[in-house]
Amino acid sequence: VDCALQPNGAMGSAALHFLVSKPCCAQPCGRSGDDECSFRVAWSINPHMQVGAVRPHRAVSQHSRFVRTLRALGATVQLLPFVHGAYDSVFSKDNAVLVQRPDGRVEALLARPRHAERHSEQNARATAYAALGITTNDDAGAHLEGGDVVVLDGARHAFLGYGFRSEGGARRGLARFLDCDVTCLELRDPRLYHLDMALSILDDGTAVVCPDALSPRAMRALERHPLVRSLVHVPIGEALAFGVNLVQLRDTVITAATATTMARALRARGYAVKRVFLDQFHLAGGSAACLVSRVHVQAHEVSARSPRSSPGQRFVATSPTAAILSTSA
Ligand SMILES: [Zn+2]
C-alpha cells in the first residue's frame, strides 16, 4: 500500500471538507525504527486499547478504502502526514477544532491532549496546518480534545464533553474561537470517553445519542436544547461498537458499526446508512468520526468582535438553518 503523501485536492465543497491523517509515514521516513512508521497500539490510554492487537497492513488498507468512500460521496479530503511514533495521530479529529470563517479562511483551535502519549502530535499538526495555509490558535485554556467537541451545522452552537479527557475550563476558549455558545455535557462511562462516541448531531438537528453515556443533567440539557430537533436513542452495546461515531455526508451516514437501532432510525428519517470496515481502529478506541477532522463552516452573521468579512463576499441565506458563502459578481 502506497503511503506516500498524495497531492491534496483544491478546497472544493466547503461543507464537506475533511482533514485526514495518513496511517503511516511516507517511505523512506528518515527516522529510526521502521515499526514506528505505522499505526498500531503501543500503549493503553483508553479501555479499548489492546497493545499489539493491530495488524498495520490491514489498518492501512481499511483506511484507504475509507478515504475513497469519503471522496466518492463528494467530500474534499486533505491528507495530513502521519506523525512518526505518535500512533494515535491517525485520529486527526482530536488534534484541533477547524472552522472556515465567512471570508474563506480556515482556522484551527489546537487541542491540549490529556495524555502525554498524544502531546508530540500537536507540534507536527501545527506545522502541517500552516503548510495548508490554516491559521492556528492555541487559546483552549484547558485540556481540550477534538473528539469531545460536537459542532452543529453552520457552527451555530457546540457541545463540549468533559469528564475523561477535555475539561469544562475549555468552554470559554472554544466559544470564543467558534464565535458561538457552547454547552458542556458530562460524560459518565469511561469506555465512551469522548463525546463523539456518545453523541452525534446531524445537520438537520437529529441528535444520535447514547443516554447511558451522559449524566442525567447532560441528557436534560440536550433534550431541551432548541437546536436539537429530535433524538435517536442508541443502546449502550451499539455505542460501544462505535455506532454513534459516525460521519455524515449530506444524506448519507457512514458507520463502521453493526448498529441496528441507529441504522433503522436514520433510514426512517431518509438517510442512507453506509457501512465501512474499521475494526483495526476500534482496537485503539476510535472509528469513523475520530479519523476525520471536519472543517466546520461558520454560517452565522459575523459578530462585532470578529469582523472578518471581506468586501467581495457576502452571505446568502438559503433556509433558516443553512447559509452558503457567495462571492458577489
Ligand atoms: Zn516513520
Side-chain angles (χ1 to χ4, degrees):
V1 177
D2 178 20
C3 258
L5 272 182
Q6 291 149 7
N8 289 308
M11 295 199 192
S13 172
L16 290 176
H17 178 191
F18 300 109
L19 269 57
V20 173
S21 175
K22 301 284 287 187
C24 52
C25 293
Q27 292 296 335
C29 141
R31 297 188 60 181
S32 61
D34 282 355
D35 59 347
E36 296 183 12
C37 285
S38 192
F39 165 70
R40 65 190 60 230
V41 180
W43 48 70
S44 184
I45 55 173
N46 71 57
H48 300 264
M49 288 180 128
Q50 306 167 37
V51 173
V54 165
R55 283 178 286 166
H57 274 83
R58 185 164 161 75
V60 167
S61 89
Q62 287 185 346
H63 191 277
S64 64
R65 253 173 288 158
F66 175 58
V67 170
R68 279 202 301 275
T69 301
L70 295 172
R71 286 178 167 155
L73 288 165
T76 297
V77 177
Q78 290 188 296
L79 294 169
L80 301 168
F82 180 73
V83 184
H84 178 95
Y87 314 108
D88 299 335
S89 66
V90 287
F91 299 119
S92 62
K93 182 177 182 181
D94 292 327
N95 297 128
V97 179
L98 298 163
V99 68
Q100 182 181 326
R101 302 299 185 191
D103 65 4
R105 287 191 308 132
V106 178
E107 294 184 21
L109 177 63
L110 294 173
R112 293 201 186 172
R114 166 84 59 174
H115 295 292
E117 287 85 347
R118 302 207 62 175
H119 291 175
S120 67
E121 296 168 33
Q122 292 305 114
N123 279 342
R125 282 289 174 255
T127 303
Y129 297 143
L132 294 173
I134 297 171
T135 310
T136 56
N137 173 318
D138 193 24
D139 296 335
H143 285 305
L144 175 72
E145 301 189 5
D148 276 321
V149 180
V150 171
V151 179
L152 271 63
D153 183 42
R156 292 166 301 144
H157 192 85
F159 292 97
L160 170 63
Y162 70 97
F164 300 104
R165 297 294 187 85
S166 302
E167 296 173 294
R171 188 189 69 82
R172 187 184 288 184
L174 181 62
R176 199 184 306 118
F177 174 76
L178 288 173
D179 197 24
C180 71
D181 289 332
V182 173
T183 302
C184 290
L185 300 176
E186 186 182 5
L187 294 163
R188 62 171 177 173
D189 188 325
R191 298 169 300 177
L192 301 167
Y193 56 92
H194 271 154
L195 184 61
D196 69 0
M197 301 172 81
L199 171 69
S200 180
I201 301 185
L202 308 183
D203 292 349
D204 68 359
T206 300
V208 180
V209 61
C210 175
D212 292 333
L214 296 180
S215 72
R217 188 173 170 204
M219 265 313 287
R220 282 196 300 277
L222 189 67
E223 286 162 353
R224 292 173 184 170
H225 198 280
L227 294 174
V228 173
R229 302 279 170 82
S230 69
L231 286 101
V232 171
H233 286 191
V234 176
I236 185 85
E238 288 187 19
L240 289 171
F242 301 93
V244 179
N245 200 254
L246 50 84
V247 178
Q248 179 192 4
L249 296 105
R250 300 193 182 93
D251 57 358
T252 301
V253 167
I254 298 181
T255 175
T258 311
T260 49
T261 309
M262 179 277 288
R264 200 183 306 121
L266 293 188
R267 288 193 180 108
R269 284 165 167 78
Y271 289 96
V273 178
K274 184 168 178 52
R275 177 95 188 272
V276 292
F277 293 90
L278 296 170
D279 60 271
Q280 295 301 298
F281 299 91
H282 295 175
L283 298 169
S287 191
C290 304
L291 291 170
V292 304
S293 188
R294 186 172 188 152
V295 179
H296 302 285
V297 179
Q298 184 183 315
H300 55 269
E301 291 291 333
V302 185
S303 73
R305 58 194 157 130
S306 54
R308 292 187 173 94
S309 289
S310 63
Q313 294 176 318
R314 65 194 166 89
F315 276 109
V316 178
T318 52
S319 79
T321 57
I324 56 164
L325 183 67
S326 149
T327 303
S328 49

PDB file of all heavy atoms in Angstrom, residues 245-258:
ATOM      1  N   ASN A 245     -20.248   6.913  16.519  1.00  0.00           N
ATOM      2  CA  ASN A 245     -19.043   7.560  15.990  1.00  0.00           C
ATOM      3  C   ASN A 245     -19.088   7.555  14.462  1.00  0.00           C
ATOM      4  O   ASN A 245     -18.322   6.903  13.780  1.00  0.00           O
ATOM      5  CB  ASN A 245     -17.816   6.798  16.503  1.00  0.00           C
ATOM      6  CG  ASN A 245     -16.542   7.602  16.436  1.00  0.00           C
ATOM      7  OD1 ASN A 245     -15.690   7.371  15.590  1.00  0.00           O
ATOM      8  ND2 ASN A 245     -16.393   8.577  17.298  1.00  0.00           N
ATOM      9  N   LEU A 246     -20.040   8.323  13.942  1.00  0.00           N
ATOM     10  CA  LEU A 246     -20.366   8.273  12.512  1.00  0.00           C
ATOM     11  C   LEU A 246     -19.954   9.559  11.799  1.00  0.00           C
ATOM     12  O   LEU A 246     -19.624  10.563  12.428  1.00  0.00           O
ATOM     13  CB  LEU A 246     -21.872   8.020  12.351  1.00  0.00           C
ATOM     14  CG  LEU A 246     -22.828   8.914  13.158  1.00  0.00           C
ATOM     15  CD1 LEU A 246     -23.093  10.224  12.447  1.00  0.00           C
ATOM     16  CD2 LEU A 246     -24.137   8.181  13.410  1.00  0.00           C
ATOM     17  N   VAL A 247     -19.983   9.496  10.481  1.00  0.00           N
ATOM     18  CA  VAL A 247     -19.690  10.673   9.656  1.00  0.00           C
ATOM     19  C   VAL A 247     -20.868  10.904   8.729  1.00  0.00           C
ATOM     20  O   VAL A 247     -21.292   9.983   8.019  1.00  0.00           O
ATOM     21  CB  VAL A 247     -18.412  10.460   8.811  1.00  0.00           C
ATOM     22  CG1 VAL A 247     -18.141  11.675   7.921  1.00  0.00           C
ATOM     23  CG2 VAL A 247     -17.207  10.207   9.707  1.00  0.00           C
ATOM     24  N   GLN A 248     -21.403  12.113   8.730  1.00  0.00           N
ATOM     25  CA  GLN A 248     -22.497  12.456   7.821  1.00  0.00           C
ATOM     26  C   GLN A 248     -21.956  13.174   6.589  1.00  0.00           C
ATOM     27  O   GLN A 248     -21.157  14.108   6.695  1.00  0.00           O
ATOM     28  CB  GLN A 248     -23.503  13.381   8.523  1.00  0.00           C
ATOM     29  CG  GLN A 248     -24.642  13.784   7.589  1.00  0.00           C
ATOM     30  CD  GLN A 248     -25.508  14.910   8.137  1.00  0.00           C
ATOM     31  OE1 GLN A 248     -25.233  15.462   9.208  1.00  0.00           O
ATOM     32  NE2 GLN A 248     -26.542  15.267   7.406  1.00  0.00           N
ATOM     33  N   LEU A 249     -22.383  12.715   5.416  1.00  0.00           N
ATOM     34  CA  LEU A 249     -22.096  13.440   4.175  1.00  0.00           C
ATOM     35  C   LEU A 249     -23.435  13.649   3.476  1.00  0.00           C
ATOM     36  O   LEU A 249     -23.952  12.726   2.854  1.00  0.00           O
ATOM     37  CB  LEU A 249     -21.150  12.649   3.275  1.00  0.00           C
ATOM     38  CG  LEU A 249     -19.738  12.428   3.860  1.00  0.00           C
ATOM     39  CD1 LEU A 249     -19.575  11.006   4.327  1.00  0.00           C
ATOM     40  CD2 LEU A 249     -18.674  12.772   2.843  1.00  0.00           C
ATOM     41  N   ARG A 250     -23.991  14.810   3.646  1.00  0.00           N
ATOM     42  CA  ARG A 250     -25.333  15.134   3.138  1.00  0.00           C
ATOM     43  C   ARG A 250     -26.345  14.090   3.609  1.00  0.00           C
ATOM     44  O   ARG A 250     -26.543  13.967   4.812  1.00  0.00           O
ATOM     45  CB  ARG A 250     -25.301  15.291   1.621  1.00  0.00           C
ATOM     46  CG  ARG A 250     -24.352  16.411   1.165  1.00  0.00           C
ATOM     47  CD  ARG A 250     -24.539  16.788  -0.286  1.00  0.00           C
ATOM     48  NE  ARG A 250     -23.574  17.815  -0.657  1.00  0.00           N
ATOM     49  CZ  ARG A 250     -22.373  17.557  -1.196  1.00  0.00           C
ATOM     50  NH1 ARG A 250     -22.000  16.314  -1.449  1.00  0.00           N
ATOM     51  NH2 ARG A 250     -21.545  18.532  -1.485  1.00  0.00           N
ATOM     52  N   ASP A 251     -26.922  13.290   2.672  1.00  0.00           N
ATOM     53  CA  ASP A 251     -27.967  12.353   3.109  1.00  0.00           C
ATOM     54  C   ASP A 251     -27.433  10.946   3.348  1.00  0.00           C
ATOM     55  O   ASP A 251     -28.194   9.993   3.425  1.00  0.00           O
ATOM     56  CB  ASP A 251     -29.124  12.324   2.096  1.00  0.00           C
ATOM     57  CG  ASP A 251     -28.645  11.955   0.694  1.00  0.00           C
ATOM     58  OD1 ASP A 251     -27.423  11.757   0.513  1.00  0.00           O
ATOM     59  OD2 ASP A 251     -29.484  11.857  -0.209  1.00  0.00           O
ATOM     60  N   THR A 252     -26.121  10.834   3.486  1.00  0.00           N
ATOM     61  CA  THR A 252     -25.517   9.529   3.777  1.00  0.00           C
ATOM     62  C   THR A 252     -24.791   9.586   5.120  1.00  0.00           C
ATOM     63  O   THR A 252     -24.126  10.569   5.424  1.00  0.00           O
ATOM     64  CB  THR A 252     -24.511   9.131   2.672  1.00  0.00           C
ATOM     65  OG1 THR A 252     -25.201   9.094   1.420  1.00  0.00           O
ATOM     66  CG2 THR A 252     -23.894   7.770   2.947  1.00  0.00           C
ATOM     67  N   VAL A 253     -24.961   8.517   5.890  1.00  0.00           N
ATOM     68  CA  VAL A 253     -24.250   8.405   7.155  1.00  0.00           C
ATOM     69  C   VAL A 253     -23.319   7.205   7.050  1.00  0.00           C
ATOM     70  O   VAL A 253     -23.747   6.100   6.706  1.00  0.00           O
ATOM     71  CB  VAL A 253     -25.245   8.242   8.326  1.00  0.00           C
ATOM     72  CG1 VAL A 253     -24.524   7.813   9.593  1.00  0.00           C
ATOM     73  CG2 VAL A 253     -26.003   9.550   8.558  1.00  0.00           C
ATOM     74  N   ILE A 254     -22.043   7.443   7.334  1.00  0.00           N
ATOM     75  CA  ILE A 254     -21.046   6.379   7.275  1.00  0.00           C
ATOM     76  C   ILE A 254     -20.782   5.871   8.690  1.00  0.00           C
ATOM     77  O   ILE A 254     -20.533   6.656   9.599  1.00  0.00           O
ATOM     78  CB  ILE A 254     -19.728   6.887   6.660  1.00  0.00           C
ATOM     79  CG1 ILE A 254     -19.974   7.347   5.225  1.00  0.00           C
ATOM     80  CG2 ILE A 254     -18.663   5.800   6.679  1.00  0.00           C
ATOM     81  CD1 ILE A 254     -18.728   7.841   4.549  1.00  0.00           C
ATOM     82  N   THR A 255     -20.848   4.553   8.844  1.00  0.00           N
ATOM     83  CA  THR A 255     -20.586   3.952  10.148  1.00  0.00           C
ATOM     84  C   THR A 255     -19.760   2.692   9.953  1.00  0.00           C
ATOM     85  O   THR A 255     -19.862   2.028   8.920  1.00  0.00           O
ATOM     86  CB  THR A 255     -21.895   3.597  10.876  1.00  0.00           C
ATOM     87  OG1 THR A 255     -21.578   2.914  12.090  1.00  0.00           O
ATOM     88  CG2 THR A 255     -22.796   2.708  10.019  1.00  0.00           C
ATOM     89  N   ALA A 256     -18.953   2.371  10.961  1.00  0.00           N
ATOM     90  CA  ALA A 256     -18.192   1.124  10.909  1.00  0.00           C
ATOM     91  C   ALA A 256     -18.812   0.093  11.835  1.00  0.00           C
ATOM     92  O   ALA A 256     -18.221  -0.946  12.085  1.00  0.00           O
ATOM     93  CB  ALA A 256     -16.742   1.374  11.291  1.00  0.00           C
ATOM     94  N   ALA A 257     -20.004   0.380  12.338  1.00  0.00           N
ATOM     95  CA  ALA A 257     -20.618  -0.495  13.339  1.00  0.00           C
ATOM     96  C   ALA A 257     -21.809  -1.249  12.768  1.00  0.00           C
ATOM     97  O   ALA A 257     -22.455  -0.808  11.830  1.00  0.00           O
ATOM     98  CB  ALA A 257     -21.088   0.338  14.530  1.00  0.00           C
ATOM     99  N   THR A 258     -22.095  -2.401  13.385  1.00  0.00           N
ATOM    100  CA  THR A 258     -23.397  -3.035  13.178  1.00  0.00           C
ATOM    101  C   THR A 258     -24.273  -2.459  14.282  1.00  0.00           C
ATOM    102  O   THR A 258     -24.218  -2.892  15.419  1.00  0.00           O
ATOM    103  CB  THR A 258     -23.300  -4.564  13.363  1.00  0.00           C
ATOM    104  OG1 THR A 258     -22.199  -5.016  12.593  1.00  0.00           O
ATOM    105  CG2 THR A 258     -24.557  -5.243  12.893  1.00  0.00           C
TER     106      THR A 258
END
